[in-house]
Amino acid sequence: MDPLSDVVTAMRIGEPHSARVTHRPPFGWQLPAVEAAGFHVVLAGTCWLLPPSGGPIALRPGDIVFLPNGCTHALADDPGTPLRPARTSLREVSPGHTEPSVSSASRPETVLLCGAYRLDRGRSHPMLTGLPDVVHLPAPATRHTPAGAVVDLLDSELAGRRPGSDAMLRALLDALLLHILRAWLDRQAATGAATGWSAALHDPAVTAALSAIHGAPGHGWTVAELAACAGCPERVSHAGSPALSAARPSSTSPGGE
């Protein structure tokens, strides 16, 4: 199993959950923190995400927000709209419409795909713990991409329950999570901000070494063996290779010693 797949498999418990929710403005919902990684995808309309720290984030159709640590946050039609406690968390969000807090003239509705991945924090991985509380992927980065295609399929699947929907939703939610993580890793590399895991997974040699570790986590790997697996023994000097040394089981594999 490749490292990115292994990270998700090792931490996940239970089934992911998602629902299609329509908000009629004005609305302002404060969502509680959850023991899960949450997400919002804007399908139609606009809204604002109010993170626990930092300024409000404008969201438009196609935008994806990933909350790897399940932090508390709010969604509103406008940053100035008063907030009310949400009736459910992202782990339990139900499909349907929310009513506006006050009567208003006709304004476009906001349609969101919301949900959460249940993760075991006791088996946390440095790749996920290194993510910021809020990962925002704006529409230009998701439109006409595999992530956008997965969102379209999820929207279609949630619009009408058909035979096999449960299995289809599980597979699509897994695919969405992996595409979100890929997009974040790619963005870190493109902006020169990649460090740690985001840098390692863009280094073919280190990725090969990590794949070897995740394939045999109980083996007592040496730097020389990892370099051989990566096809670059010349990277091992008397001082060792910092990148390959960092890839040893003690720092990457949930089963490593």
Side-chain angles (χ1 to χ4, degrees):
M1 182 178 291
D2 71 272
L4 185 56
S5 300
D6 201 19
V7 168
V8 175
T9 301
M11 289 189 64
R12 188 179 55 197
I13 56 175
E15 299 292 339
H17 175 74
S18 66
R20 196 175 191 268
V21 181
T22 300
H23 297 290
R24 296 189 179 102
F27 64 88
W29 298 107
Q30 182 70 52
L31 287 90
V34 292
E35 284 294 317
F39 65 89
H40 299 286
V41 181
V42 183
L43 301 176
T46 61
C47 64
W48 292 80
L49 180 122
L50 285 66
S53 61
I57 300 171
L59 301 179
R60 297 173 176 79
D63 280 20
I64 297 175
V65 173
F66 182 51
L67 308 160
N69 302 312
C71 64
T72 181
H73 61 285
L75 289 172
D77 66 305
D78 183 89
T81 299
L83 301 178
R84 294 185 290 168
R87 290 188 288 268
T88 60
S89 72
L90 283 179
R91 281 182 52 171
E92 303 163 335
V93 62
S94 301
H97 291 68
T98 63
E99 296 301 322
S101 54
V102 296
S103 59
S104 64
S106 177
R107 290 168 56 189
E109 297 176 330
T110 298
V111 184
L112 300 171
L113 173 64
C114 307
Y117 302 91
R118 297 182 61 194
L119 303 177
D120 182 355
R121 298 297 177 188
R123 298 155 67 188
S124 63
H125 192 281
M127 179 181 161
L128 289 187
T129 55
L131 292 173
D133 280 339
V134 178
V135 175
H136 176 216
L137 302 176
T142 63
R143 218 173 262 133
H144 309 302
T145 68
V150 171
V151 168
D152 290 341
L153 289 170
L154 274 168
D155 186 29
S156 174
E157 199 65 34
L158 288 167
R161 302 289 287 182
R162 302 179 61 192
S165 281
D166 288 343
M168 183 70 77
L169 287 172
R170 282 195 300 270
L172 289 172
L173 286 169
D174 281 350
L176 179 62
L177 174 58
L178 289 168
H179 279 300
I180 289 172
L181 293 175
R182 281 181 178 177
W184 184 80
L185 291 168
D186 289 346
R187 186 170 69 185
Q188 293 298 100
T191 59
T195 59
W197 273 81
S198 58
L201 292 179
H202 279 85
D203 184 321
V206 177
T207 300
L210 289 171
S211 295
I213 292 171
H214 284 257
H219 179 68
W221 292 97
T222 66
V223 172
E225 288 176 320
L226 293 175
C229 290
C232 56
E234 69 279 0
R235 288 180 65 169
V236 181
S237 66
H238 292 296
S241 166
L244 291 176
S245 294
R248 295 182 67 185
S250 59
S251 61
T252 64
S253 173
E257 296 297 323

